[in-house]
Amino acid sequence: MGDQSITQDAWVKVEAYDDLDPTVTGDVHLHTFAVPGMEVRVGAAKNDEDESGEFETRLIPSVQYYQIELGPDSLNKLHDALRPFIAAAKECEPPKGRKVRVK
């Protein structure tokens, strides 16, 4: 009361868990991966004189990035699932970031 203060230590335990198997909490690490896809983009009208309202659509390659926390067993499952695709692919450098133009 008054000018007195009560202090108490508080302990917080932060525990990571496997996003596929929440019972796994040991040796869990965050992993980032990308999945390629195609995005539909709607462009300009097919014909400037055309008033039908039809627009040109294009498929544009896109990449979606994900993060997941996995323990060793789940990480092995991910590697096993990707193994045939990795075997057919060739290793390459990561993509370079695009330069942003400032106007």
Side-chain angles (χ1 to χ4, degrees), residues 1-17:
M1 299 294 192
D3 62 349
Q4 297 178 345
S5 64
I6 300 172
T7 60
Q8 181 177 354
D9 290 335
W11 297 92
V12 176
K13 182 180 180 183
V14 177
E15 192 168 60
Y17 61 90

Side-chain angles (χ1 to χ4, degrees), residues 75-92:
L75 183 58
N76 285 336
K77 287 179 186 176
L78 176 61
H79 287 174
D80 289 345
L82 294 174
R83 186 170 284 119
F85 300 97
I86 292 171
K90 65 179 181 177
E91 195 168 332
C92 66

Side-chain angles (χ1 to χ4, degrees), residues 15-100:
E15 192 168 60
Y17 61 90
D18 186 309
D19 289 331
L20 295 180
D21 183 0
T23 63
V24 175
T25 57
D27 200 20
V28 173
H29 301 281
L30 182 65
H31 301 276
T32 302
F33 62 98
V35 177
M38 297 299 277
E39 181 180 311
V40 176
R41 293 243 177 111
V42 177
K46 286 184 177 182
N47 183 347
D48 290 338
E49 297 170 6
D50 185 7
E51 296 180 14
S52 67
E54 290 185 41
F55 290 92
E56 189 173 60
T57 59
R58 296 182 294 159
L59 286 176
I60 306 294
S62 66
V63 177
Q64 181 64 49
Y65 292 88
Y66 298 91
Q67 288 188 324
I68 190 168
E69 291 184 307
L70 298 175
D73 290 341
S74 292
L75 183 58
N76 285 336
K77 287 179 186 176
L78 176 61
H79 287 174
D80 289 345
L82 294 174
R83 186 170 284 119
F85 300 97
I86 292 171
K90 65 179 181 177
E91 195 168 332
C92 66
E93 295 293 321
K96 292 180 176 27
R98 291 185 177 193
K99 292 183 180 180
V100 177

